Amino acid sequence: MSAIVSYCKNISNITMTFPQRLRWAGWLLLFNASMAALIGLLYFKWMPLPESILGWLYLVLTLPSHYWLLSVLTGSFLLLLALIPWPRALALLAALYSSITIVLLVVDTMVFDQYRFHINAFVIDFLLNDPDGQIIHFPLIMWIIVFAGLLLLVIIMYGISLFLQNLVTRSQRRSRKWHFFLFLALLGSHGIHVWADAQFLRDVTQQPRFYPLMQAATAQRFMERHGWIDAEARDRAELLGTPGKAKDIMYPKNPLECTAPEKQYNILMVVIDSWRFDMLNESITPNIHRLAESHGIQFTQHYSGSNSTRGGIFSLLYGLPATYWGPFLSNTIPSLLITTLQQQGYAMGIFASARLGKPEFDRTAFATISDLRMGSQGSSPAERDQNLTNDWLEWIERHQAQGNAEPFFGFLFYDAPHGYDFPSDYPVPFTPSWEEVNYLLLRQGFNPEPFINRYKNSVHFNDTLVGEVLDDLQRRNLLDNTIVIITGDHGQEFNDLGKNYWGHNSNFSRYQIQTPLVIAIPGQKPHQSNGLTTHHDMVPTILSQWLGCQNPAGDYSFGVNLLEKTSGNHQWIVAASYIEFALMDEKTILAVNHSGGYTLLDREYNEVKGEGMPSWVPQAMRELSQFYRQ
């Protein structure tokens, strides 16, 4: 320590011109980038090393260039500090900046170790407001060591800053070529990812989530539009033969132990896009309502795992929060529900109206299904939904004509309510109804009745198609041996809160995430279940109830078996959008935005002021990371 202090005194009497101070800032940014890249190696203990030349090239280019970019973005103010004519003051400010950024990066590696997401404002506030040490408990001696280490780091960085000042006054060496080289490496890195993402090259796409603040470039639609890739003709052999598994993911925690029951039920899952909780009744959905009233269970407090399609379907078919979407996509990890059905000999009938490639359900839940039907034909959602229904009826006809005892799993994903669409000649039951949707009119104070009626008509149209499917099953005497599950991927809002929210993917109120759920079971006495349930419960229900899996639900899901007496007793649930998530109980919503800021709200989306985080949040945060290896 004394040697460092003595050295600093010996070189601290230098003077510098403005151009020299600029050159000093350039070298200091390079030094900080190098330190950050070395620390960034700590993330790699959770990342599978590349196996291809392209994967290694991406790593070699990304590691230095990404941390260089972070160094430049966070340290650009050093160029302004270069206006300060006093080298020692300049060196001290730079030392403080460098030390803080290094410490934050080290803390981020610790947070990533435990939770598998990078530090943000929510995490910082969460840890600072953890008076009971429920998240991370630091004894007094640990705090002393941390502050002593920070002080030592400031002194070291002060010495390095002075050394670099001395260097630029004695030499004319410039750092421009290194910055230019790293900029080219950054462009090359993102260019490789654009290509790899379009070609399903997991060796590359699995890497970005291990870098803090990484936003990897993608351009699938652009490449398809210019004919550089053909998504329909892409070879899926490798994708089907080698499903991925992330090094830091435990899914399931223990191998599934399942024995196919002697009596195998057919399972039909119908999902209606944007179908919200109050749109299941005799007038809007008469066919679904009739099924529920005959032998169905209606779950009246059921919530999707998301306010968007991607997260809603993910939570439904995996039983996991949509916060896991990124690693499951980059590693092409299929749904255990789908793979277990395949292992037990189910014929797989997957029929979606919208394309299954965006969001990438063909690379996640349905990755192991060969000859996957990627979407439906038609120029509108209503036409595609009709095409979906026709194709399903043809498929079930072929399946039954084979005359074997192979059970089937059907997945029908309708889209008309998402587009507020129905055929032009459809006899609409709800009026007045908009002739066409005009989003420019949607504002506070607008009367939503014609808009809502158009939405109801689109739901009614989908109910008619579902009625065709149910009538066909009845005609074939299949309803006596088929579990029918009908739900939505998320809800839809029409300024119900009076806060000018329309549609979905904009908040986590019940209007956007609460959706109907009907499970019709042969011989079941119809009734309602009023407990708090979620899409996460669907996978454990099917696996344990009808596929003979003995594992506890916690081995592979956040949910519970909906048909057990303990179901509906969730203390809290989680929902996630594309970049945000929320934790909620029956009274409050803790909404966390993309930058990590959070807001505590009541169920009507009014901010709750003067209260800290609910007592169950620490437990929820621990459980959110339970499927990552520790």
Side-chain angles (χ1 to χ4, degrees), residues 409-430:
F409 172 78
F411 180 82
L412 311 184
F413 188 15
Y414 289 98
D415 192 46
H418 180 266
Y420 311 102
D421 194 36
F422 49 84
S424 59
D425 59 350
Y426 189 73
V428 295
F430 300 100

PDB file of all heavy atoms in Angstrom, residues 409-430:
ATOM      1  N   PHE A 409     -53.605 -35.841 -28.973  1.00  0.00           N
ATOM      2  CA  PHE A 409     -53.526 -34.550 -28.296  1.00  0.00           C
ATOM      3  C   PHE A 409     -53.759 -33.484 -29.343  1.00  0.00           C
ATOM      4  O   PHE A 409     -53.008 -33.378 -30.319  1.00  0.00           O
ATOM      5  CB  PHE A 409     -52.171 -34.329 -27.625  1.00  0.00           C
ATOM      6  CG  PHE A 409     -51.991 -32.928 -27.077  1.00  0.00           C
ATOM      7  CD1 PHE A 409     -52.589 -32.554 -25.887  1.00  0.00           C
ATOM      8  CD2 PHE A 409     -51.223 -31.981 -27.765  1.00  0.00           C
ATOM      9  CE1 PHE A 409     -52.440 -31.263 -25.375  1.00  0.00           C
ATOM     10  CE2 PHE A 409     -51.064 -30.695 -27.264  1.00  0.00           C
ATOM     11  CZ  PHE A 409     -51.680 -30.339 -26.074  1.00  0.00           C
ATOM     12  N   GLY A 410     -54.826 -32.716 -29.174  1.00  0.00           N
ATOM     13  CA  GLY A 410     -55.112 -31.631 -30.100  1.00  0.00           C
ATOM     14  C   GLY A 410     -54.860 -30.278 -29.458  1.00  0.00           C
ATOM     15  O   GLY A 410     -55.210 -30.061 -28.291  1.00  0.00           O
ATOM     16  N   PHE A 411     -54.237 -29.382 -30.210  1.00  0.00           N
ATOM     17  CA  PHE A 411     -53.985 -28.017 -29.742  1.00  0.00           C
ATOM     18  C   PHE A 411     -54.503 -27.083 -30.810  1.00  0.00           C
ATOM     19  O   PHE A 411     -53.936 -26.988 -31.907  1.00  0.00           O
ATOM     20  CB  PHE A 411     -52.492 -27.801 -29.494  1.00  0.00           C
ATOM     21  CG  PHE A 411     -52.142 -26.420 -29.003  1.00  0.00           C
ATOM     22  CD1 PHE A 411     -52.274 -26.100 -27.663  1.00  0.00           C
ATOM     23  CD2 PHE A 411     -51.688 -25.436 -29.884  1.00  0.00           C
ATOM     24  CE1 PHE A 411     -51.954 -24.822 -27.200  1.00  0.00           C
ATOM     25  CE2 PHE A 411     -51.369 -24.168 -29.435  1.00  0.00           C
ATOM     26  CZ  PHE A 411     -51.507 -23.864 -28.085  1.00  0.00           C
ATOM     27  N   LEU A 412     -55.613 -26.398 -30.527  1.00  0.00           N
ATOM     28  CA  LEU A 412     -56.235 -25.484 -31.471  1.00  0.00           C
ATOM     29  C   LEU A 412     -56.110 -24.060 -30.943  1.00  0.00           C
ATOM     30  O   LEU A 412     -56.633 -23.744 -29.873  1.00  0.00           O
ATOM     31  CB  LEU A 412     -57.712 -25.838 -31.664  1.00  0.00           C
ATOM     32  CG  LEU A 412     -58.056 -27.305 -31.949  1.00  0.00           C
ATOM     33  CD1 LEU A 412     -59.541 -27.461 -32.220  1.00  0.00           C
ATOM     34  CD2 LEU A 412     -57.240 -27.851 -33.105  1.00  0.00           C
ATOM     35  N   PHE A 413     -55.413 -23.222 -31.691  1.00  0.00           N
ATOM     36  CA  PHE A 413     -55.109 -21.869 -31.229  1.00  0.00           C
ATOM     37  C   PHE A 413     -55.766 -20.875 -32.182  1.00  0.00           C
ATOM     38  O   PHE A 413     -55.270 -20.614 -33.272  1.00  0.00           O
ATOM     39  CB  PHE A 413     -53.597 -21.672 -31.178  1.00  0.00           C
ATOM     40  CG  PHE A 413     -53.156 -20.376 -30.537  1.00  0.00           C
ATOM     41  CD1 PHE A 413     -54.026 -19.605 -29.780  1.00  0.00           C
ATOM     42  CD2 PHE A 413     -51.855 -19.920 -30.692  1.00  0.00           C
ATOM     43  CE1 PHE A 413     -53.622 -18.409 -29.193  1.00  0.00           C
ATOM     44  CE2 PHE A 413     -51.429 -18.734 -30.108  1.00  0.00           C
ATOM     45  CZ  PHE A 413     -52.330 -17.985 -29.368  1.00  0.00           C
ATOM     46  N   TYR A 414     -56.917 -20.325 -31.744  1.00  0.00           N
ATOM     47  CA  TYR A 414     -57.694 -19.386 -32.559  1.00  0.00           C
ATOM     48  C   TYR A 414     -57.217 -17.953 -32.344  1.00  0.00           C
ATOM     49  O   TYR A 414     -56.647 -17.620 -31.306  1.00  0.00           O
ATOM     50  CB  TYR A 414     -59.178 -19.506 -32.213  1.00  0.00           C
ATOM     51  CG  TYR A 414     -59.805 -20.795 -32.692  1.00  0.00           C
ATOM     52  CD1 TYR A 414     -59.978 -21.880 -31.823  1.00  0.00           C
ATOM     53  CD2 TYR A 414     -60.227 -20.926 -34.006  1.00  0.00           C
ATOM     54  CE1 TYR A 414     -60.557 -23.055 -32.267  1.00  0.00           C
ATOM     55  CE2 TYR A 414     -60.811 -22.097 -34.457  1.00  0.00           C
ATOM     56  CZ  TYR A 414     -60.971 -23.175 -33.592  1.00  0.00           C
ATOM     57  OH  TYR A 414     -61.541 -24.335 -34.032  1.00  0.00           O
ATOM     58  N   ASP A 415     -57.526 -17.089 -33.343  1.00  0.00           N
ATOM     59  CA  ASP A 415     -56.912 -15.757 -33.341  1.00  0.00           C
ATOM     60  C   ASP A 415     -57.889 -14.608 -33.584  1.00  0.00           C
ATOM     61  O   ASP A 415     -57.515 -13.451 -33.471  1.00  0.00           O
ATOM     62  CB  ASP A 415     -55.816 -15.717 -34.419  1.00  0.00           C
ATOM     63  CG  ASP A 415     -54.919 -14.501 -34.315  1.00  0.00           C
ATOM     64  OD1 ASP A 415     -54.481 -14.176 -33.192  1.00  0.00           O
ATOM     65  OD2 ASP A 415     -54.663 -13.865 -35.348  1.00  0.00           O
ATOM     66  N   ALA A 416     -59.149 -14.899 -33.940  1.00  0.00           N
ATOM     67  CA  ALA A 416     -60.061 -13.838 -34.374  1.00  0.00           C
ATOM     68  C   ALA A 416     -60.241 -12.708 -33.358  1.00  0.00           C
ATOM     69  O   ALA A 416     -60.211 -11.537 -33.738  1.00  0.00           O
ATOM     70  CB  ALA A 416     -61.421 -14.438 -34.746  1.00  0.00           C
ATOM     71  N   PRO A 417     -60.435 -12.999 -32.049  1.00  0.00           N
ATOM     72  CA  PRO A 417     -60.611 -11.882 -31.109  1.00  0.00           C
ATOM     73  C   PRO A 417     -59.392 -10.975 -31.020  1.00  0.00           C
ATOM     74  O   PRO A 417     -59.526  -9.781 -30.723  1.00  0.00           O
ATOM     75  CB  PRO A 417     -60.900 -12.579 -29.775  1.00  0.00           C
ATOM     76  CG  PRO A 417     -61.461 -13.908 -30.164  1.00  0.00           C
ATOM     77  CD  PRO A 417     -60.706 -14.297 -31.394  1.00  0.00           C
ATOM     78  N   HIS A 418     -58.208 -11.526 -31.257  1.00  0.00           N
ATOM     79  CA  HIS A 418     -57.002 -10.704 -31.251  1.00  0.00           C
ATOM     80  C   HIS A 418     -57.068  -9.634 -32.334  1.00  0.00           C
ATOM     81  O   HIS A 418     -56.586  -8.513 -32.157  1.00  0.00           O
ATOM     82  CB  HIS A 418     -55.767 -11.585 -31.437  1.00  0.00           C
ATOM     83  CG  HIS A 418     -54.472 -10.850 -31.441  1.00  0.00           C
ATOM     84  ND1 HIS A 418     -53.858 -10.425 -32.597  1.00  0.00           N
ATOM     85  CD2 HIS A 418     -53.670 -10.454 -30.429  1.00  0.00           C
ATOM     86  CE1 HIS A 418     -52.730  -9.796 -32.305  1.00  0.00           C
ATOM     87  NE2 HIS A 418     -52.591  -9.793 -30.994  1.00  0.00           N
ATOM     88  N   GLY A 419     -57.674  -9.981 -33.475  1.00  0.00           N
ATOM     89  CA  GLY A 419     -57.821  -9.027 -34.567  1.00  0.00           C
ATOM     90  C   GLY A 419     -59.207  -8.430 -34.656  1.00  0.00           C
ATOM     91  O   GLY A 419     -59.515  -7.740 -35.643  1.00  0.00           O
ATOM     92  N   TYR A 420     -60.055  -8.685 -33.655  1.00  0.00           N
ATOM     93  CA  TYR A 420     -61.448  -8.192 -33.650  1.00  0.00           C
ATOM     94  C   TYR A 420     -62.126  -8.531 -34.974  1.00  0.00           C
ATOM     95  O   TYR A 420     -62.794  -7.700 -35.587  1.00  0.00           O
ATOM     96  CB  TYR A 420     -61.483  -6.672 -33.416  1.00  0.00           C
ATOM     97  CG  TYR A 420     -60.644  -6.205 -32.254  1.00  0.00           C
ATOM     98  CD1 TYR A 420     -59.395  -5.624 -32.474  1.00  0.00           C
ATOM     99  CD2 TYR A 420     -61.087  -6.344 -30.941  1.00  0.00           C
ATOM    100  CE1 TYR A 420     -58.611  -5.193 -31.409  1.00  0.00           C
ATOM    101  CE2 TYR A 420     -60.322  -5.912 -29.876  1.00  0.00           C
ATOM    102  CZ  TYR A 420     -59.075  -5.344 -30.120  1.00  0.00           C
ATOM    103  OH  TYR A 420     -58.310  -4.931 -29.059  1.00  0.00           O
ATOM    104  N   ASP A 421     -61.981  -9.787 -35.399  1.00  0.00           N
ATOM    105  CA  ASP A 421     -62.368 -10.142 -36.753  1.00  0.00           C
ATOM    106  C   ASP A 421     -63.443 -11.227 -36.773  1.00  0.00           C
ATOM    107  O   ASP A 421     -63.519 -12.076 -35.879  1.00  0.00           O
ATOM    108  CB  ASP A 421     -61.141 -10.626 -37.527  1.00  0.00           C
ATOM    109  CG  ASP A 421     -61.385 -10.687 -39.016  1.00  0.00           C
ATOM    110  OD1 ASP A 421     -62.108  -9.827 -39.529  1.00  0.00           O
ATOM    111  OD2 ASP A 421     -60.850 -11.612 -39.662  1.00  0.00           O
ATOM    112  N   PHE A 422     -64.268 -11.180 -37.803  1.00  0.00           N
ATOM    113  CA  PHE A 422     -65.256 -12.216 -38.112  1.00  0.00           C
ATOM    114  C   PHE A 422     -65.646 -12.034 -39.573  1.00  0.00           C
ATOM    115  O   PHE A 422     -65.413 -10.964 -40.162  1.00  0.00           O
ATOM    116  CB  PHE A 422     -66.471 -12.110 -37.179  1.00  0.00           C
ATOM    117  CG  PHE A 422     -67.047 -10.733 -37.042  1.00  0.00           C
ATOM    118  CD1 PHE A 422     -67.967 -10.233 -37.975  1.00  0.00           C
ATOM    119  CD2 PHE A 422     -66.665  -9.905 -35.990  1.00  0.00           C
ATOM    120  CE1 PHE A 422     -68.486  -8.956 -37.858  1.00  0.00           C
ATOM    121  CE2 PHE A 422     -67.178  -8.623 -35.860  1.00  0.00           C
ATOM    122  CZ  PHE A 422     -68.091  -8.141 -36.805  1.00  0.00           C
ATOM    123  N   PRO A 423     -66.221 -13.042 -40.201  1.00  0.00           N
ATOM    124  CA  PRO A 423     -66.551 -12.925 -41.626  1.00  0.00           C
ATOM    125  C   PRO A 423     -67.539 -11.788 -41.885  1.00  0.00           C
ATOM    126  O   PRO A 423     -68.387 -11.467 -41.046  1.00  0.00           O
ATOM    127  CB  PRO A 423     -67.173 -14.287 -41.958  1.00  0.00           C
ATOM    128  CG  PRO A 423     -66.618 -15.217 -40.928  1.00  0.00           C
ATOM    129  CD  PRO A 423     -66.474 -14.404 -39.684  1.00  0.00           C
ATOM    130  N   SER A 424     -67.443 -11.207 -43.058  1.00  0.00           N
ATOM    131  CA  SER A 424     -68.299 -10.062 -43.387  1.00  0.00           C
ATOM    132  C   SER A 424     -69.777 -10.438 -43.431  1.00  0.00           C
ATOM    133  O   SER A 424     -70.638  -9.585 -43.190  1.00  0.00           O
ATOM    134  CB  SER A 424     -67.866  -9.480 -44.739  1.00  0.00           C
ATOM    135  OG  SER A 424     -67.953 -10.475 -45.763  1.00  0.00           O
ATOM    136  N   ASP A 425     -70.071 -11.718 -43.730  1.00  0.00           N
ATOM    137  CA  ASP A 425     -71.466 -12.154 -43.793  1.00  0.00           C
ATOM    138  C   ASP A 425     -71.925 -12.845 -42.510  1.00  0.00           C
ATOM    139  O   ASP A 425     -72.983 -13.467 -42.483  1.00  0.00           O
ATOM    140  CB  ASP A 425     -71.672 -13.095 -44.983  1.00  0.00           C
ATOM    141  CG  ASP A 425     -70.773 -14.334 -44.908  1.00  0.00           C
ATOM    142  OD1 ASP A 425     -69.870 -14.351 -44.045  1.00  0.00           O
ATOM    143  OD2 ASP A 425     -70.984 -15.262 -45.714  1.00  0.00           O
ATOM    144  N   TYR A 426     -71.130 -12.706 -41.445  1.00  0.00           N
ATOM    145  CA  TYR A 426     -71.488 -13.370 -40.186  1.00  0.00           C
ATOM    146  C   TYR A 426     -72.640 -12.611 -39.521  1.00  0.00           C
ATOM    147  O   TYR A 426     -72.590 -11.370 -39.400  1.00  0.00           O
ATOM    148  CB  TYR A 426     -70.270 -13.414 -39.253  1.00  0.00           C
ATOM    149  CG  TYR A 426     -70.468 -14.256 -38.009  1.00  0.00           C
ATOM    150  CD1 TYR A 426     -70.484 -15.638 -38.102  1.00  0.00           C
ATOM    151  CD2 TYR A 426     -70.631 -13.661 -36.761  1.00  0.00           C
ATOM    152  CE1 TYR A 426     -70.650 -16.425 -36.966  1.00  0.00           C
ATOM    153  CE2 TYR A 426     -70.796 -14.435 -35.629  1.00  0.00           C
ATOM    154  CZ  TYR A 426     -70.811 -15.815 -35.735  1.00  0.00           C
ATOM    155  OH  TYR A 426     -70.993 -16.591 -34.611  1.00  0.00           O
ATOM    156  N   PRO A 427     -73.693 -13.304 -39.089  1.00  0.00           N
ATOM    157  CA  PRO A 427     -74.833 -12.628 -38.445  1.00  0.00           C
ATOM    158  C   PRO A 427     -74.464 -12.165 -37.035  1.00  0.00           C
ATOM    159  O   PRO A 427     -74.583 -12.921 -36.068  1.00  0.00           O
ATOM    160  CB  PRO A 427     -75.914 -13.715 -38.419  1.00  0.00           C
ATOM    161  CG  PRO A 427     -75.162 -15.006 -38.417  1.00  0.00           C
ATOM    162  CD  PRO A 427     -73.907 -14.760 -39.218  1.00  0.00           C
ATOM    163  N   VAL A 428     -74.028 -10.934 -36.900  1.00  0.00           N
ATOM    164  CA  VAL A 428     -73.504 -10.453 -35.622  1.00  0.00           C
ATOM    165  C   VAL A 428     -74.624 -10.319 -34.591  1.00  0.00           C
ATOM    166  O   VAL A 428     -75.658  -9.708 -34.863  1.00  0.00           O
ATOM    167  CB  VAL A 428     -72.764  -9.112 -35.789  1.00  0.00           C
ATOM    168  CG1 VAL A 428     -71.533  -9.304 -36.647  1.00  0.00           C
ATOM    169  CG2 VAL A 428     -73.666  -8.060 -36.390  1.00  0.00           C
ATOM    170  N   PRO A 429     -74.437 -10.887 -33.401  1.00  0.00           N
ATOM    171  CA  PRO A 429     -75.474 -10.804 -32.373  1.00  0.00           C
ATOM    172  C   PRO A 429     -75.388  -9.548 -31.506  1.00  0.00           C
ATOM    173  O   PRO A 429     -76.345  -9.221 -30.799  1.00  0.00           O
ATOM    174  CB  PRO A 429     -75.221 -12.059 -31.535  1.00  0.00           C
ATOM    175  CG  PRO A 429     -73.756 -12.320 -31.682  1.00  0.00           C
ATOM    176  CD  PRO A 429     -73.374 -11.834 -33.051  1.00  0.00           C
ATOM    177  N   PHE A 430     -74.239  -8.857 -31.554  1.00  0.00           N
ATOM    178  CA  PHE A 430     -74.062  -7.716 -30.647  1.00  0.00           C
ATOM    179  C   PHE A 430     -73.921  -6.433 -31.460  1.00  0.00           C
ATOM    180  O   PHE A 430     -73.018  -6.283 -32.289  1.00  0.00           O
ATOM    181  CB  PHE A 430     -72.833  -7.933 -29.753  1.00  0.00           C
ATOM    182  CG  PHE A 430     -72.922  -9.163 -28.905  1.00  0.00           C
ATOM    183  CD1 PHE A 430     -72.267 -10.336 -29.284  1.00  0.00           C
ATOM    184  CD2 PHE A 430     -73.680  -9.175 -27.743  1.00  0.00           C
ATOM    185  CE1 PHE A 430     -72.363 -11.476 -28.510  1.00  0.00           C
ATOM    186  CE2 PHE A 430     -73.781 -10.319 -26.973  1.00  0.00           C
ATOM    187  CZ  PHE A 430     -73.126 -11.477 -27.360  1.00  0.00           C
TER     188      PHE A 430
END
